[in-house]
């Protein structure tokens, strides 16, 4: 197998932010914090915990400060706060609990105007300023290029455009640059081409990928991304997710489905599949609806030893 498939892969859990932001029912702060605690219990070490945006635009994220105040104190976990502008960056840094800012720029002007009220180039400038303010505060920042594989308003996005944006962002020295398939239109061959092109444009800056499974290509895209040299994958427990400003956007690739695939392929993620499946069941209750993820419905393979069965057996033989 290609040597890319022998390296460990880092999962960034995005359910507390991308997973929940588009959900109609307001999830309580306590439940959001429980979700974060469960992700940590399951072995995830980097979590997008909230976003610092206008609560009128994204009411689900109105409790960003309260979520941060309740985060478990852990030296070994990196908490990411998503921000769209300097005001959001200042708010995130003021909590004292955010380790890494998540800056977002958008590949097309129409989507950039809908998402954050600026041009595409303007969003790159703002993202660079956000990265630098994180660094000035002794923190790090990641950068995401939304609509890297296609735009809900403008359609196809030129690969050279994404490579150019990534090159610009790399000048600010972010922890990594993510290619986001915000509306889930990418295919594995596109993923391989784009990552190869972006890698050539950004040198040593690591690449993260962010896939939505809108059209069922999510896991295939994850596999292609790893083969092309991405080592960090955004994923959301239960496969929740969506974007309020991108018509038709559906869930992120599901953490448990990604972890199952990678575990079976012998790729280390540090995540515990059984704990993720338990969290899926808990989250299903909280959301009051079936979640898009698949593995929790069927269980892992081989099936884990069921402690309840062995207790029953003991009682029978006793
Ligand atoms: Zn997303």
């Amino acid at each position: 197998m290609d040597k890319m498939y022998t390296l460990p892969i880092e999962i960034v859990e995005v359910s507390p932010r991308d997973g929940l932001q588009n959900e109609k029912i307001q999830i309580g702060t306590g439940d959001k914090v429980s979700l974060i605690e469960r992700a940590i219990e399951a072995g995830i070490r980097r979590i997008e915990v909230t976003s610092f945006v206008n609560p009128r635009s994204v009411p689900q994220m109105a409790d960003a400060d309260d979520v941060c105040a309740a985060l478990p104190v852990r030296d070994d976990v990196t908490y990411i706060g998503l921000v769209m502008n300097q005001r959001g960056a200042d708010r995130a840094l003021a909590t004292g609990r955010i380790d890494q800012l998540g800056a977002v720029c958008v590949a097309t002007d129409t989507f950039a105007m809908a998402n954050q009220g600026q041009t595409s180039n303007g969003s790159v400038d703002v993202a660079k300023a956000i990265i630098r303010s994180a660094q000035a505060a002794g923190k790090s920042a990641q950068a995401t290029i939304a609509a890297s594989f296609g735009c809900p308003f403008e359609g196809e996005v030129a690969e050279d455009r994404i490579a150019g944006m990534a090159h610009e962002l790399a000048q600010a020295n972010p922890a990594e640059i993510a290619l986001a398939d915000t509306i889930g239109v990418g295919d594995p061959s596109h993923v391989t081409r784009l990552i190869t092109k972006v890698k050539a444009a950004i040198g040593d800056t690591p690449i993260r990928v962010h896939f939505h499974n809108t059209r069922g290509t999510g896991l295939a895209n994850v596999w292609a991304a790893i083969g092309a040299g991405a080592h960090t994958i955004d994923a959301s427990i239960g496969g929740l997710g969506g974007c309020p400003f991108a018509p038709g956007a559906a869930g992120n690739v599901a953490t448990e489905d990604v972890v199952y695939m990678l575990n079976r392929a012998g790729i280390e993620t540090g995540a515990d599949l059984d704990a993720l499946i338990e969290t899926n069941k808990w989250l299903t209750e909280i959301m009051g609806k079936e979640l898009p993820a698949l593995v929790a419905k069927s269980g892992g393979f081989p099936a884990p030893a069921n402690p309840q069965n062995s207790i029953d057996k003991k009682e029978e033989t006793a």
Side-chain angles (χ1 to χ4, degrees):
M1 203 188 283
D2 191 299
K3 74 170 180 6
M4 292 300 182
Y5 292 105
T6 62
L7 297 168
I9 293 298
E10 180 190 23
I11 304 283
V12 176
E13 178 60 39
V14 301
S15 58
R17 198 283 304 177
D18 205 358
L20 295 180
Q21 70 173 8
N22 210 27
E23 292 296 325
K24 299 285 174 286
I25 60 160
Q26 192 68 31
I27 306 302
T29 305
D31 286 334
K32 291 174 182 171
V33 174
S34 295
L35 177 59
I36 293 161
E37 288 169 344
R38 283 168 175 272
I40 296 170
E41 274 300 299
I44 308 284
R45 289 294 174 266
R46 194 142 62 114
I47 306 172
E48 192 179 82
V49 292
T50 189
S51 65
F52 296 85
V53 292
N54 187 337
R56 282 198 304 275
S57 311
V58 190
Q60 188 69 260
M61 296 292 120
D63 60 353
D65 291 290
D66 298 333
V67 169
C68 287
L71 289 171
V73 177
R74 300 275 304 226
D75 291 344
D76 59 341
V77 177
T78 299
Y79 295 125
I80 302 165
L82 197 82
V83 300
M84 298 289 172
N85 50 37
Q86 195 57 49
R87 188 181 136 78
D90 293 343
R91 274 181 63 201
L93 293 170
T95 66
R97 301 305 315 280
I98 293 295
D99 304 300
Q100 188 167 65
L101 296 185
V104 181
C105 53
V106 182
T108 63
D109 285 331
T110 315
F111 192 12
M113 288 307 293
N115 200 56
Q116 50 214 64
Q118 54 201 184
T119 63
S120 176
N121 282 339
S123 73
V124 174
D125 292 341
V126 169
K128 286 170 74 177
I130 289 168
I131 294 162
R132 291 192 171 120
S133 62
Q135 291 160 346
K139 313 285 183 187
S140 62
Q142 46 159 218
T144 298
I145 305 176
S148 284
F149 296 87
C151 170
F153 306 105
E154 297 188 23
E156 300 286 2
V157 172
E159 291 167 21
D160 286 340
R161 169 69 188 149
I162 303 302
M165 290 175 78
H167 178 80
E168 266 300 306
L169 287 169
Q171 309 310 310
N173 203 18
E176 81 230 335
I177 294 173
L179 306 179
D181 190 4
T182 312
I183 55 168
V185 291
D187 68 84
S189 133
H190 191 173
V191 169
T192 303
R193 274 197 322 274
L194 190 59
I195 290 180
T196 306
K197 201 164 257 187
V198 168
K199 270 179 87 170
I202 64 175
D204 293 338
T205 307
I207 293 181
R208 176 169 50 87
V209 286
H210 180 103
F211 294 122
H212 284 259
N213 195 36
T214 318
R215 293 168 179 81
T217 54
L219 280 185
N221 290 343
V222 167
W223 189 253
I226 293 170
H231 302 301
T232 305
I233 314 284
D234 282 359
S236 174
I237 292 168
L240 282 177
C243 173
F245 311 107
N252 290 94
V253 287
T255 308
E256 56 271 41
D257 292 359
V258 171
V259 166
Y260 171 80
M261 176 178 79
L262 298 183
N263 280 358
R264 284 291 288 168
I267 298 172
E268 189 49 59
T269 62
D272 176 347
L273 182 62
D274 294 337
L276 291 171
I277 289 174
E278 277 309 307
T279 299
N280 174 299
K281 290 177 177 160
W282 170 83
L283 188 58
T284 301
E285 296 276 309
I286 299 288
M287 302 308 298
K289 63 175 181 184
E290 200 180 337
L291 305 179
L294 290 175
V295 169
K297 298 184 174 76
S298 45
F301 181 86
N306 185 335
Q308 193 56 47
N309 284 351
S310 45
I311 290 165
D312 290 346
K313 234 179 204 146
K314 251 182 224 148
E315 281 171 355
E316 273 166 33
T317 49

